[in-house]
Amino acid sequence: GQNIDQPTEMTATEGAIVQINCTYQTSGFNGLFWYQQHAGEAPTFLSYNVLDGLEEKGRFSSFLSRSKGYSYLLLKELQMKDSASYLCAVLDSNYQLIWGAGTKLIIKP
Amino acid sequence: EADIYQTPRYLVIGTGKKITLECSQTMGHDKMYWYQQDPGMELHLIHYSYGVNSTEKGDLSSESTVSRIRTEHFPLTLESARPSHTSQYLCASSDGVGDTGELFFGEGSRLTVL
C-alpha cells in the first residue's frame, strides 16, 4: 500500500530551527508537496520538490531524496505564527496526491 | 490570494437530510477537488474534476455525488446524511499540468450530522 509517515507532533522554541521529516512509500513518484494548515483553516501551499536537493524559500526550506523516499521541511527563525500543522503529500504514478496525517508544530516563547 | 469559496462554513443537520455543499472559484482553474478531513488525520480525496462535465470518484467512498456544469462551480451533494458523514469538507482547485500545480483550498465546510 501507499504510505506517508511524519511525526504527529513537535515542539520548538521561538527563534530556533526545526526540521520536520517525511518518509514515503508510494507507487511511483511525481513530486512532493508541503502545505501549512493553521487550526480551523484551509491548507496553504509551501513548497514542491520533484528533483533531489534543497529548495530554499525565505525562512522555509524543503529537501528531497528520491532514493531514500525522504523529505524534510526546515523552518528557521521560528515565530509564534509558525504554530500550525505541516502536511506532506506525494504525487504518485497516477498523479494522485497521497497525504500524510500532518505534523502539529507547537512553538513556545 | 486564492479566490475559492465554500458555503456553508458550518452546518448542523439531522440524519436523513439531503445537503449540498457549494464550492466556487474565480481563477478559471480546470481542476477541482473535494477532500474530507477529520481532526489530526490525513486528507482523503472524495471526488475530483478535470473540467466541465468531467467528474471522478476518489479513494474515499462517501456516498456523495458531484457535478461540474460550469468551470467555476463544483457542488457536493449528500442524498441522505448520516452521523458518519460528520467531518470537515475541503474544496480545492488547481491549474497545474498533470496535477503538479499547487492546490488552492477553500475555507472548508464543517458538517455535523445528528
Side-chain angles (χ1 to χ4, degrees):
Chain A
Q2 308 205 88
N3 195 50
I4 309 282
D5 283 318
Q6 28 178 157
T8 303
E9 187 175 297
M10 299 181 70
T11 302
T13 304
E14 190 177 16
I17 299 173
V18 71
Q19 177 175 310
I20 302 174
N21 296 325
C22 170
T23 58
Y24 61 88
Q25 290 177 307
T26 56
S27 56
F29 178 84
N30 281 300
L32 185 144
F33 292 84
W34 283 96
Y35 283 81
Q36 180 190 60
Q37 186 177 24
H38 285 101
E41 297 183 11
T44 54
F45 171 82
L46 288 177
S47 66
Y48 170 69
N49 293 67
V50 67
L51 299 176
D52 290 350
L54 186 69
E55 297 270 349
E56 297 186 73
K57 192 185 293 185
R59 292 189 300 114
F60 292 8
S61 303
S62 56
F63 171 84
L64 174 68
S65 169
R66 290 172 296 172
S67 63
K68 295 182 179 177
Y70 168 70
S71 172
Y72 66 73
L73 181 69
L74 190 71
L75 290 74
K76 302 177 184 176
E77 301 168 19
L78 285 170
Q79 302 174 10
M80 297 303 292
K81 67 178 182 180
D82 297 331
S83 292
S85 287
Y86 292 86
L87 313 179
C88 174
V90 171
L91 265 177
D92 70 8
S93 56
N94 294 320
Y95 287 94
Q96 296 296 321
L97 266 178
I98 311 300
W99 293 84
T103 298
K104 183 178 180 180
L105 178 63
I106 300 168
I107 309 297
K108 294 186 174 180
Chain B
E1 190 171 307
D3 294 305
I4 179 164
Y5 308 100
Q6 290 185 238
T7 57
R9 291 289 312 280
Y10 302 92
L11 181 64
V12 180
I13 60 169
T15 297
K17 299 291 186 183
K18 176 181 178 179
I19 62 156
T20 296
L21 305 180
E22 303 287 350
C23 177
S24 295
Q25 50 97 3
T26 58
M27 296 172 282
H29 289 170
D30 285 327
K31 300 180 177 68
M32 295 189 74
Y33 309 82
W34 275 105
Y35 285 95
Q36 186 174 338
Q37 185 184 33
D38 293 316
M41 303 294 288
E42 60 267 40
L43 278 74
H44 288 287
L45 183 64
I46 311 171
H47 295 279
Y48 60 100
S49 167
Y50 285 170
V52 172
N53 295 324
S54 153
T55 62
E56 301 286 343
K57 286 194 172 185
D59 58 273
L60 183 67
S61 172
S62 69
E63 297 148 351
S64 58
T65 59
V66 291
S67 63
R68 190 86 184 278
I69 299 172
R70 302 197 316 267
T71 297
E72 60 271 21
H73 196 213
F74 191 43
L76 175 78
T77 298
L78 281 169
E79 292 293 333
S80 180
R82 297 205 307 268
S84 60
H85 293 138
T86 295
S87 187
Q88 163 126 297
Y89 293 84
L90 291 167
C91 179
S93 72
S94 169
D95 66 352
V97 174
D99 278 310
T100 56
E102 67 177 275
L103 291 175
F104 294 91
F105 285 87
E107 293 293 319
S109 294
R110 186 167 294 281
L111 173 65
T112 302
V113 184
L114 303 176

